[in-house]
């Protein structure tokens, strides 16, 4: 029997008779278990299969196969063997095609060697779009079937016409043309979106890759296949639009096509009638249809959260389609690039290890209800047997060993000359920390706008600044800004405040070092030249500039003064001194002048700059501040009279206190690791399970005794959408008065998961007979969200509703 894991799982839930007959289960592409959406289905089906069943797991990308095998052996009480090979029968050549460049650059040859020089050339042509050396691409001509004579008049790899900036589709057009000319077809072109697949395929509408005989064959296969569809279905746009493309040897394959159309495309591709196939990632999983060449149109993909680089596992899976055993002497992989990439990222993708198979297990309401429906089955059984639980438990011994070594390290730290000294240092250390804490709280009160703002309205005030934990030292205030629109009334003001970022910002001139000097391997001359030009940059950010290290000669030479935008919470201390500052400090001379004045002031006050007094100057009169002041004074007095202050010099005291601080830190880290190891021995997600059971009780899927009700039985049958919302819709009678078309429209909202680029009301512009049911669907979603939040499940109500 061939089936999907979803079908297998629901057969196991229902206790299907067929399962009694099954002796072997083969999981193809088992690394799919790490998939966020469907991985949980694979894991549950493996756990729920009877122990007498034998397993075969197939995969090209599991580096931690031993761990997976140990888990199988543990939960099914049977031996499991790893059979593996690193040999690839058809070697691959990896090329990069930089957008705007003139050709292909071989970056990994068939022996697996990374060609750094070619990679750098590709990056350079990407930056300049100049006619970079196309000779690398000619390498394609000199091996395999590609070594035939060129057709007359065919331009080189890129051809002289290949200008810059024709965009991605022009580049793709050129690659496909090259592939056809060199007889490197069939080619699979991978895109990460269904829309792109169709767009790129339709852009080749002028091309024709088949002869008359092949056209007849395609038409015959197509007509025979769609005879199984009804008359109405044959008139569907996608059914009618596909044939003209297929006849020209161009195919499309993605999840949005009718299954019959996907099947036609697969048959035609395997028969060699499709020369260029535009597909999404799913074509590389579980379908044995290799090609001679594989092309990637993009290196980044949207994974539901953000645009990220393709992982090496995904790359191995897709590029593995290149090279047909017994037909090709090598496979060709072409990667289109439209942005700069670090060599380390490129190496990581091209031949990094695939991602380890980590469990993506989570509890679903469907699983819970199915477990409740079967008597004497505890949902905790599945949690206990899950791969995620096994992985967490297997980490415990390593955590304990780590804690043990930290404990030993802490014991080896010597404080003073004995345990008596250590006790005294402990007292001093605790008081010092308490004082620091009191001072931090006082700074927080001083930083409040009502206290500090009157002193920040004028230019030239000296401020002591530390940004994100990095201490920059004294700087000069240049400007104070209040967030635009935040003072206006009504919704406009609220929107400005909600837009994120601080309400009050200050522009402060601070000394800093450009971070690019830290990683610079240039000679002294180049650094000198950079240092002479660095003054021209007047804007500073924490990402590009770091603080100056005191007493470091190199830093003093490379130091420049730049304007940073900081918030009130970045001010450590506020000085009573103000200096003159010119109106415009963007010119380098103006900033050098201000820097001279600042350094002169610091030189005149060797004991430290005079500060504004919180009570006399800032007029802080709160009880809280007075208490903190009193506490800080008392602590200072106790520290001054402590024997560490009276009996030791500053240097020795600092050494002893630092040693003690290190000892405390090591012990705290050791304790945290032990706690983590202890918690990993308990059942993961137990609290989550409890909360989800509460949600089911509240919504009426199970009664107070945990017995499943009608609502719950209905939810068990739904596994392609959010079952709780669908059941609420059914039981609120939403579908009773809807026509088939309206029902289909509403249901499409539950399964559509592509991002909606337009903000605003998605129902805007809908006719009332569609917007009515849509708003009811949102109400049902809100009911479920409110119940979940009431049961302490972390959920953003608006975000949850926006999913539909």
């Amino acid at each position: 029997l061939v089936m999907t894991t979803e079908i297998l799982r629901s057969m196991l839930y229902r206790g299907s008779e067929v399962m009694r007959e099954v002796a072997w289960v083969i999981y193809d592409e088992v690394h799919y278990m790490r998939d966020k959406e469907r991985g949980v289905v694979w894991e549950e089906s493996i756990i729920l299969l009877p122990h007498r069943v034998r397993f075969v797991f197939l995969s090209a990308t599991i580096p931690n196969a031993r761990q997976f095998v140990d888990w199988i052996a543990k939960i099914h009480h049977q031996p499991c063997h790893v059979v593996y090979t690193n040999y690839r029968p058809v070697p691959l050549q990896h090329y990069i095609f930089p957008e705007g460049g003139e050709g292909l650059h071989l970056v990994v040859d068939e022996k697996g060697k990374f060609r750094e020089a070619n990679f750098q050339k590709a990056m350079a042509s990407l930056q300049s779009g100049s006619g970079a050396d196309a000779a690398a691409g000619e390498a394609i001509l000199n091996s395999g079937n590609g070594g035939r004579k060129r057709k007359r008049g065919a331009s080189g790899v890129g051809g002289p016409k290949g200008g810059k900036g024709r965009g991605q589709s022009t580049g793709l057009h050129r690659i496909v043309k090259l592939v056809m000319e060199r007889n490197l077809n069939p080619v699979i072109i991978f895109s990460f979106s269904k829309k792109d697949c169709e767009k790129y395929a339709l852009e080749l509408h002028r091309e024709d890759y088949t002869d008359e005989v092949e056209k007849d064959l395609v038409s015959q296969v197509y007509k025979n296949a769609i005879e199984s569809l009804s008359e109405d279905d044959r008139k569907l746009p996608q059914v009618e639009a596909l044939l003209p493309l297929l006849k020209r040897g161009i195919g499309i394959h993605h999840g949005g096509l009718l299954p019959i159309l996907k099947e036609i495309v697969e048959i035609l591709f395997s028969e060699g009638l499709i020369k260029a196939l535009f597909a999404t990632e799913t074509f590389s999983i579980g379908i044995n249809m290799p090609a001679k060449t594989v092309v990637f149109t993009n290196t980044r993909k949207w994974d539901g959260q953000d645009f990220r680089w393709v992982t090496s596992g995904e790359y191995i899976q897709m590029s593995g389609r290149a090279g047909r055993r017994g037909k090709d002497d090598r496979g060709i992989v072409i990667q289109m690039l439209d942005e700069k990439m670090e060599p380390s990222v490129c190496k990581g993708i091209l031949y990094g290890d695939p991602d380890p198979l980590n469990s993506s297990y989570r509890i679903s309401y469907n699983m819970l209800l199915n477990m409740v429906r079967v008597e004497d089955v505890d949902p905790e059984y599945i949690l206990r047997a899950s791969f995620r639980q096994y992985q967490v438990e297997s980490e415990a011994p390593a955590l304990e060993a780590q804690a043990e070594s930290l404990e030993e390290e802490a014991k080896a730290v010597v404080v003073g000359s004995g345990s008596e000294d250590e006790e005294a240092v402990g007292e001093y250390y605790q008081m010092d920390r308490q004082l620091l804490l009191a001072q931090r709280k006082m700074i927080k009160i001083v930083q409040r706008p009502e206290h500090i703002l009157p002193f920040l309205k004028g230019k030239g005030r000296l401020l002591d600044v530390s940004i994100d934990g990095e201490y920059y030292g004294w700087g000069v205030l240049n400007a104070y800004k209040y967030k635009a629109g935040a003072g206006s009334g009504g919704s406009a003001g609220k929107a400005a405040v909600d837009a994120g970022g601080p309400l009050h910002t200050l522009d402060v001139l601070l000394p800093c070092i450009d971070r690019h000097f830290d990683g610079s391997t240039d000679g002294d001359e180049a650094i000198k030249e950079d240092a002479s030009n660095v003054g021209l940059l007047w804007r500073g950010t924490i990402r590009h500039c770091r603080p100056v290290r005191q007493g470091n000669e190199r830093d003093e030479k490379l130091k420049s003064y730049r304007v940073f935008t900081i918030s009130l919470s970045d001010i450590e201390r506020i000085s009573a001194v103000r200096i003159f500052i010119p109106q415009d400090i963007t010119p380098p001379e103006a900033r050098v002048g201000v820097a001279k004045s600042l350094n002169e002031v610091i030189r005149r006050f060797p004991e430290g700059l005079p500060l504004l007094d919180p009570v006399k100057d800032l007029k802080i009169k709160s009880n809280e501040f007075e208490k903190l002041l009193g506490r800080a004074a008392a602590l200072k007095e106790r520290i001054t009279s402590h024997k560490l202050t009276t009996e030791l010099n500053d240097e020795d005291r600092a050494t002893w206190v630092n040693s003690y601080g290190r000892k405390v830190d090591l012990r705290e880290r050791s304790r945290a690791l032990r706690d983590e190891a202890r918690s990993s021995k308990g059942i993961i997600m137990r609290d989550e399970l409890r909360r989800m059971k509460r949600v089911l009780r509240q919504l009426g899927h199970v009664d107070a005794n945990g017995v499943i009700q009608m609502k719950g039985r209905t939810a068990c049958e739904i596994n392609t959408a959010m079952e709780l919302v669908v059941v609420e819709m059914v039981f609120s009678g939403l579908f009773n008065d809807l026509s088939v078309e309206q029902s289909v429209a509403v249901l499409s909202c539950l399964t559509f998961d592509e991002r909606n680029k337009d903000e605003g009301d998605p129902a805007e512009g809908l006719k009332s007979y569609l917007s009515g049911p849509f708003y009811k669907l949102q109400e049902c979603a809100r009911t479920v969200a409110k119940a979940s939040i009431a049961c302490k499940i972390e959920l953003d109500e608006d975000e949850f509703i926006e999913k539909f």
Side-chain angles (χ1 to χ4, degrees):
L1 273 175
V2 180
M3 62 176 79
T4 63
T5 41
E6 278 80 4
I7 302 290
L8 174 62
R9 182 177 71 162
S10 58
M11 285 169 80
L12 289 164
Y13 278 160
R14 282 167 181 66
S16 163
E17 285 297 314
V18 179
M19 294 326 298
R20 297 181 188 201
E21 310 290 320
V22 173
W24 285 84
V25 176
I26 300 173
Y27 283 88
D28 192 15
E29 312 285 6
V30 74
H31 55 261
Y32 218 75
M33 213 170 94
R34 68 165 83 95
D35 184 77
K36 282 193 184 80
E37 291 297 315
R38 291 181 58 205
V40 56
V41 182
W42 290 62
E43 207 166 315
E44 280 181 15
S45 63
I46 293 171
I47 294 166
L48 292 169
L49 278 162
H51 295 324
R52 58 185 170 66
V53 170
R54 296 286 171 262
F55 299 88
V56 178
F57 301 101
L58 306 174
S59 173
T61 53
I62 299 190
N64 57 335
R66 287 302 296 268
Q67 190 187 31
F68 179 76
V69 159
D70 290 346
W71 172 62
I72 296 293
K74 183 186 170 198
I75 63 167
H76 281 300
H77 317 295
Q78 50 176 288
C80 190
H81 308 278
V82 180
V83 184
Y84 72 96
T85 175
N86 287 329
Y87 171 68
R88 185 182 166 84
V90 185
L92 296 181
Q93 286 180 334
H94 300 266
Y95 291 85
I96 280 182
F97 179 86
E99 191 181 308
E102 285 281 298
L104 300 171
H105 301 259
L106 178 67
V107 284
V108 177
D109 58 22
E110 58 269 45
K111 293 189 180 68
K113 189 168 169 290
F114 189 77
R115 305 268 186 100
E116 189 84 41
N118 286 354
F119 177 77
Q120 295 300 353
K121 253 187 222 167
M123 289 300 106
S125 68
L126 179 66
Q127 191 175 19
S128 60
S130 64
D133 181 19
E138 296 289 60
I140 281 196
L141 298 173
N142 306 329
S143 61
N145 311 343
R148 299 174 182 173
K149 289 269 168 72
R150 291 195 211 171
K151 292 183 187 171
R152 236 175 79 213
S155 61
V157 175
K161 297 168 190 163
K164 178 189 173 187
R166 289 274 191 84
Q168 200 163 8
S169 50
T170 326
L172 185 61
H173 202 163
R174 281 162 61 197
I175 290 176
V176 175
K177 197 172 173 189
L178 165 88
V179 165
M180 297 304 167
E181 282 173 3
R182 305 286 179 274
N183 202 16
L184 299 173
N185 58 7
V187 55
I188 302 174
I189 296 116
F190 282 114
S191 291
F192 295 118
S193 97
K194 299 169 189 171
K195 280 183 197 151
D196 285 352
C197 274
E198 295 178 7
K199 185 179 86 178
Y200 293 140
L202 293 169
E203 275 166 6
L204 295 181
H205 61 88
R206 293 210 179 93
E207 304 296 326
D208 194 346
Y209 306 128
T210 54
D211 56 29
E212 289 308 315
V213 179
E214 288 174 327
K215 281 185 171 54
D216 284 351
L217 277 169
V218 169
S219 298
Q220 271 179 322
V221 171
Y222 190 81
K223 287 204 168 69
N224 292 343
I226 67 161
E227 270 176 9
S228 62
L229 292 177
S230 68
E231 282 293 327
D232 287 347
D233 288 349
R234 284 182 220 172
K235 294 195 181 90
L236 285 171
Q238 61 170 233
V239 177
E240 290 184 336
L242 197 58
L243 181 59
L245 280 174
L246 295 175
K247 276 172 131 176
R248 291 205 298 277
I250 299 165
I252 299 174
H253 189 288
H254 60 64
L257 290 178
L258 290 172
I260 184 95
L261 297 183
K262 281 195 280 193
E263 203 174 329
I264 293 169
V265 170
E266 286 160 23
I267 291 167
L268 295 176
F269 187 78
S270 57
E271 293 301 326
L273 296 169
I274 289 180
K275 314 293 184 200
L277 175 65
F278 292 84
T280 52
E281 196 178 354
T282 46
F283 190 75
S284 70
I285 294 177
I287 300 175
N288 181 22
M289 298 207 173
K292 183 156 190 177
T293 307
V294 162
V295 177
F296 289 84
T297 57
N298 210 329
T299 346
R300 286 183 182 271
K301 66 176 278 195
W302 172 257
D303 64 357
Q305 266 93 43
D306 54 356
F307 276 105
R308 57 166 174 81
W309 295 111
V310 178
T311 65
S312 56
E314 290 163 341
Y315 186 83
I316 290 167
Q317 189 69 36
M318 288 185 271
S319 62
R321 301 295 124 189
R324 299 163 296 175
R325 198 181 296 199
K327 286 186 181 173
D328 304 324
D329 54 357
R330 75 222 146 85
I332 287 166
V333 185
I334 301 171
Q335 173 70 67
M336 292 178 72
L337 258 193
D338 58 356
E339 61 177 308
K340 294 207 82 166
M341 184 194 253
E342 293 298 318
S344 56
V345 175
C346 186
K347 282 180 193 168
I349 292 175
L350 292 178
Y351 49 35
D353 272 339
D355 322 323
L357 176 60
N358 289 326
S359 168
S360 58
Y361 192 78
R362 55 181 166 49
I363 310 169
S364 66
Y365 288 108
N366 196 288
M367 179 275 278
L368 257 182
L369 289 163
N370 274 294
M371 293 285 115
V372 172
R373 186 164 68 167
V374 183
E375 282 175 31
D376 307 327
V377 177
D378 182 10
E380 278 192 15
Y381 162 72
I382 287 196
L383 293 188
R384 226 172 284 125
S386 73
F387 188 39
R388 185 163 164 195
Q389 177 77 28
Y390 179 78
Q391 283 183 313
V392 169
E393 277 178 15
S394 61
E395 282 166 12
L399 290 172
E400 277 172 355
Q402 219 176 323
E404 198 66 47
S405 78
L406 287 175
E407 200 72 57
E408 291 301 317
E409 211 180 314
K411 277 180 192 161
V413 175
V414 179
V415 180
S417 51
S419 59
E420 250 180 61
D421 280 349
E422 188 168 320
E423 216 170 282
V425 176
E427 269 177 33
Y428 184 93
Y429 179 79
Q430 288 304 334
M431 288 193 294
D432 200 38
R433 281 181 79 170
Q434 293 293 327
L435 178 61
L436 194 70
L437 220 69
Q439 285 170 339
R440 285 252 159 261
K441 284 180 180 167
M442 280 154 70
I443 288 171
K444 280 271 176 289
I445 295 173
V446 168
Q447 286 168 347
R448 287 179 191 163
E450 61 268 25
H451 301 142
I452 201 173
L453 280 185
F455 297 88
L456 301 176
K457 295 286 167 72
K459 286 182 166 206
R461 174 79 60 192
L462 301 192
L463 303 172
D464 197 16
V465 173
S466 122
I467 312 172
D468 286 356
E470 291 195 278
Y471 178 63
Y472 283 81
W474 287 101
V476 185
L477 175 64
N478 180 45
Y480 157 75
K481 292 183 190 127
Y482 184 55
K483 188 170 213 174
S488 55
S491 57
K494 186 178 181 300
V497 174
D498 292 347
L503 268 182
H504 308 274
T505 55
L506 308 167
D507 281 354
V508 180
L509 188 70
L510 292 170
C512 62
I513 303 285
D514 198 306
R515 287 187 196 268
H516 107 260
F517 288 124
D518 291 349
S520 178
T521 52
D522 299 342
D524 286 347
E525 286 303 311
I527 285 182
K528 251 185 209 163
E529 191 185 334
D530 277 1
S532 64
N533 292 330
V534 85
L536 300 170
L537 299 165
W538 65 277
R539 260 280 168 219
T541 61
I542 190 163
R543 190 172 159 212
H544 298 114
C545 309
R546 66 166 174 79
V548 181
R549 289 185 288 245
Q550 291 305 315
N552 184 308
E553 276 183 38
R554 185 171 184 265
D555 274 15
E556 286 302 325
K557 283 180 191 163
L558 300 173
K559 178 164 76 172
S560 64
Y561 282 80
R562 299 194 188 175
V563 177
F564 286 71
T565 299
I566 66 167
S567 66
L568 298 185
S569 58
D570 296 328
I571 299 173
E572 290 285 326
R573 294 178 295 172
I574 179 164
S575 167
V577 179
R578 275 178 70 183
I579 60 175
F580 170 75
I581 182 168
Q583 204 52 42
D584 179 16
I585 59 165
T586 50
E589 310 77 50
R591 276 175 288 131
V592 169
V594 174
K596 276 185 184 158
S597 308
L598 172 65
N599 291 328
E600 179 59 27
V601 171
I602 293 170
R603 192 185 64 74
R604 284 191 196 173
F605 292 101
E607 296 292 309
L609 298 186
L611 304 177
L612 289 176
D613 185 282
V615 179
K616 288 179 192 159
D617 300 319
L618 300 180
K619 307 277 190 293
I620 299 177
K621 291 193 174 71
S622 71
N623 288 343
E624 187 190 354
F625 193 77
E626 277 173 23
K627 273 184 197 163
L628 286 167
L629 262 179
R631 185 172 170 69
L635 283 165
K636 271 183 193 162
E637 204 173 299
R638 284 175 63 193
I639 286 172
T640 318
S641 59
H642 195 273
K643 77 173 198 180
L644 243 69
T645 318
T646 53
E647 293 173 17
L648 292 180
N649 62 26
D650 288 356
E651 202 175 316
D652 287 352
R653 185 170 63 249
T655 312
W656 286 23
V657 171
N658 287 342
S659 301
Y660 187 83
R662 189 154 178 277
K663 196 166 196 165
V664 169
D665 182 49
L666 288 167
R667 281 187 177 148
E668 279 175 2
R669 278 162 57 197
S670 164
R671 197 176 302 121
L673 286 169
R674 284 194 195 283
D675 289 347
E676 199 179 326
R678 206 173 299 120
S679 68
S680 67
K681 287 175 184 169
I683 291 184
I684 50 162
M685 302 187 278
R686 185 179 259 157
D687 294 342
E688 200 180 330
L689 181 71
R690 215 170 282 137
R691 288 180 199 132
M692 288 172 82
K693 282 180 173 173
R694 222 176 287 151
V695 172
L696 292 177
R697 271 202 298 276
Q698 189 158 336
L699 291 171
H701 291 258
V702 295
D703 65 13
N705 303 320
V707 177
I708 195 162
Q709 303 300 302
M710 185 66 180
K711 251 185 169 182
R713 287 182 193 284
T714 313
C716 286
E717 306 300 323
I718 297 155
N719 48 26
T720 50
M722 178 63 189
E723 50 283 288
L724 300 188
V725 177
V726 178
V727 169
E728 284 304 315
M729 290 161 70
V730 172
F731 279 75
S732 67
L734 173 63
F735 295 103
N736 294 359
D737 309 321
L738 298 187
S739 65
V740 174
E741 291 81 1
Q742 284 171 301
S743 301
V744 171
V746 170
L747 292 173
S748 71
C749 301
L750 297 164
T751 55
F752 180 80
D753 59 357
E754 285 195 26
R755 291 175 311 138
N756 189 7
K757 290 191 179 72
D758 312 318
E759 295 299 322
D761 185 2
E764 203 176 312
L766 283 182
K767 298 278 195 313
S768 60
Y769 65 86
L770 286 177
S771 62
F774 177 72
Y775 288 132
K776 280 186 189 163
L777 153 65
Q778 287 194 323
E779 275 169 37
C780 294
R782 191 163 305 233
T783 308
V784 171
K786 282 194 159 72
S788 304
I789 293 164
C791 297
K792 298 203 167 48
I793 284 182
E794 279 184 28
L795 188 82
D796 183 317
E797 189 178 323
D798 295 334
E799 212 171 278
F800 179 75
I801 289 159
E802 274 166 23
K803 282 184 190 168
F804 301 103

